[in-house]
Amino acid sequence: MSTTPPPRSATPDLRPATGERVAEDGAFGWLRALGPRGRQAFAGAFGGYALDSYDYFTLPLSMVALAAYFGLDSGQTGLFTTVTLVVSAIGGAVAGVVADRLGRVRALMITVITYAVFTVACGFAPNYETLLVFRALQGLGFGGEWAVGAILVAEYASARHRGRTLGAVQSSWAVGWALAAVVYTLVFSVAGDDLAWRIMFWTGALPALLVVWLRRRVHDAPEATAAREQSPRRGSFAAIFRPASNGEPGLLRTTVFASLLSTGVQGGYYTLATWVPTYLKSERGLSVVGTGGYLTLLISGAFLGYLTGGHLTDRLGRRRSIWLFALLSAICVLAYADIPHGADTLLLVLGFPLGFCMSAIFSGFGSYLSELYPTEVRGTGQGFTYNTGRAVGAVFPTLVGFLADSWGVGGALVFGAIGYGLAALALLGLPETRGKELA
């Protein structure tokens, strides 16, 4: 007997007497419009991405303690992030192919288990080299989770609300970041630095049990599954690099410019996510609790940025929204790095718009990349372009690390603004996709 869930109706709920559409009305109409199975998929993707974020931020928050414990310089600590993001490109590309060939949910389960196991292993590392290897292996799972989860939800979401729906999924990154900051504050306040960084990594396994249980109840969108399984090209790297020929549109141009877009946005983002905690603690002299307080405002801005950016990408379109926040993010980075010493209140206040803008730009990514590719290679295309951006963008944090000794961390952070400029230029080669229906 088939276990495939019944098809989701494409027609919104109607009022019995008037035929007025109600499923997509109101502030949470996007959530009701997903339907029961779509909401389960949303919950699974939201929880998984929050865990992805939590496990990622265990490293940046522990960076100062790790550097002291292993006697590392700024370049070596920056290499942690670079290795994680470079290997995540491999994991993300592979997860995309798995999602197209075996299904979205199966790919999600594999990614969660992978990054949870190796995050815990990091806590047992006896030396720098071993920790670097474990962190790289953690990147295999880290790279695939977002792209696969975003596709799963995108294929349930209506075209009208896809931007805000994927923006809501993206907001779970701020939830995981906030949880990591809270745990960091508690752990480093009660344990010595030599043990506290290990405890941070060990806690990365705790939420995995809940997410694995939750995902046993989640199914792939039936219409997209049927379309994907009927295509002989599903999960093909060759397909996403096929140029246009004989009047048939190809995907090569899309793949190149989407990779550049992802590189710019993530180069800017990971520069800030990796080095702001170190900047606050080492150059601003903030305590653990003080750093946690500054990060609270930054993360609050990030959470609202994800939600607001999702709404704007539906209203303004994918390209205009990304353009807007690329410009605003670059301005905020330059302003944040140029705040004079002693102006800690200004540093605190500017953290909110910085977090808001650098996160809002991501809200359109889930819907935009999903809409750029056909169903049979949606996982492959999104997994490759998003994670290629992670890998190439990973050069930015390492560059900041090597320049920090001579320029200072604050001065080197300006390289984040270059990333946002690259993202704005990449949009010139991509189409607008707002309102596109997904099979």
Side-chain angles (χ1 to χ4, degrees):
M1 184 175 69
S2 174
T3 58
T4 302
R8 174 175 59 91
S9 172
T11 304
D13 295 340
L14 302 176
R15 294 187 190 275
T18 65
E20 182 184 348
R21 184 166 66 181
V22 298
E24 299 185 10
D25 292 342
F28 293 97
W30 60 269
L31 186 61
R32 292 192 297 272
L34 286 171
R37 289 194 182 277
R39 287 192 288 274
Q40 288 177 335
F42 174 85
F46 188 98
Y49 197 47
L51 174 60
D52 204 18
S53 171
Y54 180 90
D55 282 7
Y56 172 79
F57 278 106
T58 54
L59 177 64
L61 290 168
S62 304
M63 196 85 85
V64 173
L66 282 171
Y69 186 85
F70 291 117
L72 308 178
D73 59 31
S74 296
Q76 289 174 306
T77 54
L79 191 59
F80 278 125
T81 297
T82 298
V83 167
T84 302
L85 299 181
V86 169
V87 176
S88 77
I90 300 172
V94 171
V97 172
V98 172
D100 284 336
R101 295 186 178 182
L102 301 182
R104 316 318 192 193
V105 175
R106 288 182 183 178
L108 282 169
M109 294 294 293
I110 293 170
T111 62
V112 169
I113 293 170
T114 300
Y115 67 66
V117 167
F118 286 109
T119 297
V120 174
C122 287
F124 293 99
N127 52 49
Y128 169 72
E129 292 77 15
T130 303
L131 180 58
L132 198 62
V133 171
F134 284 154
R135 188 64 178 181
L137 293 173
Q138 187 261 4
L140 289 174
F142 169 73
E145 204 288 334
W146 177 83
V148 178
I151 293 166
L152 172 65
V153 177
E155 290 175 343
Y156 274 106
S158 67
R160 178 187 175 194
H161 290 319
R162 189 173 295 119
R164 69 198 71 184
T165 302
L166 271 296
V169 172
Q170 193 83 47
S171 72
S172 65
W173 181 266
V175 174
W177 188 5
L179 179 61
V182 170
V183 173
Y184 158 79
T185 302
L186 293 174
V187 169
F188 276 81
S189 295
V190 301
D193 285 7
D194 289 353
L195 177 62
W197 70 264
R198 295 187 184 274
I199 296 174
M200 283 293 295
F201 284 118
W202 294 337
T203 62
L206 296 178
L209 296 176
L210 174 62
V211 174
V212 170
W213 170 83
L214 180 61
R215 284 185 172 155
R216 293 178 63 185
R217 303 168 56 191
V218 178
H219 302 276
D220 291 356
E223 296 96 330
T225 299
R228 174 173 51 82
E229 292 180 347
Q230 291 171 4
S231 174
R233 292 181 174 177
R234 68 179 185 272
S236 168
F237 280 118
I240 68 171
F241 287 103
R242 186 179 70 252
S245 62
N246 299 324
E248 293 186 6
L251 293 172
L252 176 61
R253 178 188 175 92
T254 296
T255 299
V256 170
F257 280 98
S259 296
L260 288 174
L261 172 66
S262 183
T263 296
V265 171
Q266 296 194 80
Y269 180 87
Y270 283 111
T271 295
L272 297 172
T274 301
W275 286 106
V276 163
T278 299
Y279 171 65
L280 294 174
K281 196 169 184 179
S282 64
E283 293 199 8
R284 293 290 175 169
L286 299 181
S287 65
V288 169
V289 175
T291 300
Y294 278 67
L295 289 177
T296 297
L297 203 58
L298 184 72
I299 295 168
S300 298
F303 181 74
L304 292 177
Y306 286 131
L307 297 179
T308 303
H311 282 270
L312 286 178
T313 197
D314 282 332
R315 290 182 177 274
L316 300 179
R318 313 319 188 205
R319 297 170 77 242
R320 286 182 181 178
S321 178
I322 294 174
W323 252 323
L324 172 64
F325 287 111
L327 174 62
L328 294 178
S329 295
I331 292 173
C332 285
V333 171
L334 296 175
Y336 197 77
D338 198 44
I339 295 175
H341 283 276
D344 289 348
T345 300
L346 182 58
L347 189 74
L348 175 66
V349 172
L350 191 58
F352 186 90
L354 176 67
F356 183 94
C357 294
M358 65 187 257
S359 299
I361 194 171
F362 274 104
S363 293
F365 261 51
S367 53
Y368 195 32
L369 295 181
S370 293
E371 292 161 355
L372 286 172
Y373 289 94
T375 304
E376 65 270 17
V377 291
R378 187 167 293 134
T380 305
Q382 184 155 337
F384 177 84
T385 56
Y386 188 81
N387 288 287
T388 295
R390 270 181 172 166
V392 182
V395 173
F396 286 69
T398 298
L399 185 60
V400 170
F402 282 110
L403 291 175
D405 292 333
S406 56
W407 290 20
V409 176
L413 283 177
V414 299
F415 276 87
I418 297 175
Y420 292 116
L422 176 63
L425 291 175
L427 286 168
L428 297 174
L430 294 170
E432 176 57 57
T433 59
R434 179 176 58 167
K436 182 177 180 179
E437 296 289 348
L438 301 184

